[in-house]
Amino acid sequence: MVSFVLTLSSTFSRLNLLPKPSLVHTVRALRTLQQRKPTWSLYNSSFKSISAQISTSNLNSPKPHTENVGIGDDLVVLGIETSCDDTAASVVRSNGEILSQVVSSQADLLAQYGGVAPKMAEEAHLRVIDQVVQEALDKANLTEKDLSAVAVTIGPGLSLCLRVGVRKARKIAGSFNLPIIGVHHMEAHALVARLIERELQFPFMALLISGGHNLLILASDLGQYIQLGTTIDDAIGEAYDKTAKWLGLDMRRSGGPAVEELAREGDAESVKFSIPMKQYKDCNFSYAGLKTQVRLAIESRNINAGIPISSASCQDRSSRADIAASFQRVAVLHLEERCERAIEWALKLEPSIKYLVVSGGVASNQYVRARLDQVVQKNNLQLVCPPPSLCTDNGVMVAWTGIEHFRMGRFDPPPSASEPEDSLYDLRPRWPLGEEYAEGRSEARSLRRARIHPSLTSLIQASLQQQA
């Protein structure tokens, strides 16, 4: 019989019954926190009705207190990430030390299918998840008994893929009496910057750019985000991938790096693509139209994607390079324009902002970084970009985000060690990060609203209001 793992206790009473002398780190952490109630329950569906009443105007009060609750540098957290096409695990200490980082790429599948095929991606995760997690522990010279908690991505992402990571995380947490932290994938991309840049304090801005998401946020505090702009159809990473596929580039290294490399050979002014959504004065993103422009340009030049770039004639290669360069210029101009407006809005809300974080897989692109660095300098801000290995999906960002929330008491008790294999978990494939900024609503917004989980910010805000 299928069992539902949707509601857990929101008190520490159950945690207090679980001390285990051999679990040094866990016991130390639990003793520190046992007099406090967790500020949320990851699987508590009672927030759903409350969060609908939370608006952006409520984000100023009350705010969580983000001071360290006394755990110090004793936390050791395993982070597991399987939201899309990479299987990743990492062990991170709460002093910022990365003890291990392991990523199993699905590059061959990407090349075979020209993008992510959810069922194939799930099967690939299932084949390697045990090995990836064990390797992360081995490289850290630790066992599960040395962990303080397990953090895992529960959304947004592909349901089939998310489930693989969540099931593995719950199995470890249940077997070793470890607290479990459900992590928002996009928040993790933003917060990993705080691991590598210790000067980065709230509030700050973040541009999160990947294959599935474009998101501009104002991070007011931990778990408190205002959405300034988001993707209304296709994200920039998707546009890079499709352009690479249509140009016959090697997809094993993903579309972004392939397009960026070829673009260096081309004339970025040779093809007159239109910048998306110029008529809409908001911070939302759209790349579906630009993709269509690229496809038509390729067809008009009779470029055959079946002929790999390595076998193309000099003239054909030059034509492909011009399209790649022209596409990249306009794709990034769209980012720049939206960032300019978002900075203006954010400074009205939080004049003390000093940083723009740019993270996500596309943030590895050097052209993107260079152009956005000019934008932030013009606005007297500083650009913070994690190293490329922490921009793409990884376990470090999940573990670190878990640490940040665990310090606040935001975690769930250990699941049952005998949880059935066919349990249904509270996965959140469509899970907004923040509440939408009122001025950011656009008539062009066509994002489907059905089956979207309440935002992370509204859940935490509802919990804080319940406690007040």
Side-chain angles (χ1 to χ4, degrees):
M1 180 180 292
V2 176
S3 73
F4 290 80
V5 187
L6 296 176
T7 305
L8 294 176
S9 168
S10 60
T11 71
F12 269 101
S13 57
R14 291 173 60 185
L15 284 176
N16 296 338
L17 300 176
L18 298 171
K20 196 170 183 179
S22 60
L23 301 181
V24 178
H25 294 284
T26 302
V27 172
R28 188 179 301 147
L30 296 182
R31 284 176 179 169
T32 302
L33 291 170
Q34 63 186 196
Q35 294 182 348
R36 298 182 48 163
K37 290 184 179 181
T39 60
W40 69 343
S41 177
L42 303 172
Y43 302 97
N44 190 339
S45 58
S46 65
F47 287 141
K48 293 181 181 179
S49 60
I50 300 171
S51 62
Q53 305 170 19
I54 307 299
S55 65
T56 311
S57 61
N58 292 331
L59 295 181
N60 294 324
S61 176
K63 284 187 179 180
H65 300 290
T66 53
E67 76 276 5
N68 188 308
V69 297
I71 300 175
D73 294 335
D74 292 334
L75 286 175
V76 178
V77 173
L78 169 68
I80 298 175
E81 158 63 29
T82 62
S83 65
C84 192
D85 58 338
D86 284 335
T87 311
S90 179
V91 180
V92 178
R93 197 181 294 276
S94 54
N95 65 359
E97 183 182 2
I98 300 172
L99 301 179
S100 66
Q101 181 179 4
V102 179
V103 179
S104 176
S105 171
Q106 296 183 11
D108 290 340
L109 280 178
L110 289 174
Q112 181 179 348
Y113 292 97
V116 179
K119 187 60 181 175
M120 298 299 102
E122 178 201 25
E123 292 176 359
H125 285 304
L126 287 168
R127 284 195 297 270
V128 301
I129 185 67
D130 291 338
Q131 176 187 339
V132 167
V133 170
Q134 189 59 53
E135 187 176 345
L137 291 168
D138 291 345
K139 286 187 174 181
N141 293 317
L142 300 174
T143 69
E144 290 89 345
K145 293 182 179 181
D146 299 307
L147 298 174
S148 308
V150 180
V152 61
T153 303
I154 63 174
L158 301 173
S159 294
L160 292 174
C161 300
L162 289 166
R163 189 174 190 276
V164 176
V166 169
R167 183 168 56 188
K168 178 64 177 178
R170 293 182 66 83
K171 183 176 181 180
I172 294 172
S175 299
F176 294 90
N177 283 339
L178 297 171
I180 188 166
I181 310 128
V183 169
H184 192 293
H185 180 79
M186 300 309 288
E187 182 186 36
H189 273 306
L191 292 185
V192 74
R194 281 166 52 86
L195 171 63
I196 57 101
E197 178 53 72
R198 293 309 177 92
E199 297 296 318
L200 181 60
Q201 300 295 322
F202 296 102
F204 63 86
M205 280 186 62
L207 171 65
L208 309 176
I209 42 179
S210 65
H213 304 277
N214 273 44
L215 191 62
L216 268 166
I217 61 167
L218 168 59
S220 299
D221 211 326
L222 180 63
Q224 299 287 292
Y225 306 102
I226 298 174
Q227 176 183 295
L228 303 173
T230 189
T231 311
I232 66 171
D233 43 51
D234 295 330
I236 187 172
E238 158 72 7
Y240 265 102
D241 285 344
K242 281 294 189 292
T243 298
K245 179 182 178 182
W246 295 333
L247 290 174
L249 307 186
D250 186 352
M251 293 293 290
R252 286 177 297 178
R253 50 185 306 197
S254 82
V259 171
E260 183 182 17
E261 181 177 333
L262 182 61
R264 296 191 185 105
E265 303 175 22
D267 178 1
E269 301 285 347
S270 61
V271 186
K272 303 303 180 184
F273 294 132
S274 299
I275 300 174
M277 296 180 67
K278 286 284 286 186
Q279 71 273 33
Y280 297 105
K281 304 305 179 183
D282 56 45
C283 298
N284 293 321
F285 300 89
S286 169
Y287 283 93
L290 181 57
K291 281 171 50 181
T292 300
Q293 293 181 68
V294 170
R295 180 174 54 79
L296 293 174
I298 289 171
E299 290 176 357
S300 69
R301 288 161 176 75
N302 297 317
I303 293 172
N304 183 359
I307 300 175
I309 189 71
S310 57
S311 303
S313 65
C314 290
Q315 182 177 351
D316 189 17
R317 183 183 182 94
S318 176
S319 183
R320 297 189 200 199
D322 286 346
I323 292 174
S326 299
F327 156 76
Q328 180 168 254
R329 183 183 71 86
V330 172
V332 177
L333 277 173
H334 188 31
L335 290 182
E336 294 176 49
E337 182 189 51
R338 269 30 198 172
C339 279
E340 289 269 15
R341 185 172 293 115
I343 290 171
E344 179 183 337
W345 289 358
L347 288 172
K348 288 180 182 178
L349 295 168
E350 295 278 7
S352 62
I353 291 171
K354 297 179 180 178
Y355 297 95
L356 172 66
V357 171
V358 180
S359 189
V362 181
S364 301
N365 183 303
Q366 295 303 310
Y367 179 81
V368 169
R369 291 189 183 211
R371 297 293 302 181
L372 292 177
D373 191 42
Q374 293 181 28
V375 171
V376 298
Q377 286 185 30
K378 185 166 59 176
N379 289 276
N380 298 314
L381 300 178
Q382 296 180 50
L383 185 70
V384 177
C385 289
S389 65
L390 297 183
C391 282
T392 52
D393 293 352
N394 62 88
V396 173
M397 69 182 196
V398 177
W400 179 254
T401 301
I403 288 169
E404 293 232 32
H405 281 290
F406 192 86
R407 284 168 163 164
M408 298 300 303
R410 296 172 186 159
F411 59 88
D412 277 312
S416 170
S418 57
E419 200 166 84
E421 284 288 321
D422 60 352
S423 297
L424 290 182
Y425 306 113
D426 182 20
L427 308 177
R428 302 174 183 180
R430 303 187 69 216
W431 188 17
L433 178 57
E435 293 298 280
E436 190 174 18
Y437 181 47
E439 291 187 33
R441 296 189 177 97
S442 169
E443 294 178 2
R445 183 93 182 262
S446 61
L447 184 67
R448 288 176 293 122
R449 307 290 295 179
R451 300 178 65 186
I452 294 181
H453 196 280
S455 74
L456 172 68
T457 295
S458 68
L459 295 181
I460 292 178
Q461 188 72 18
S463 174
L464 293 171
Q465 290 185 346
Q466 282 182 329
Q467 292 180 353

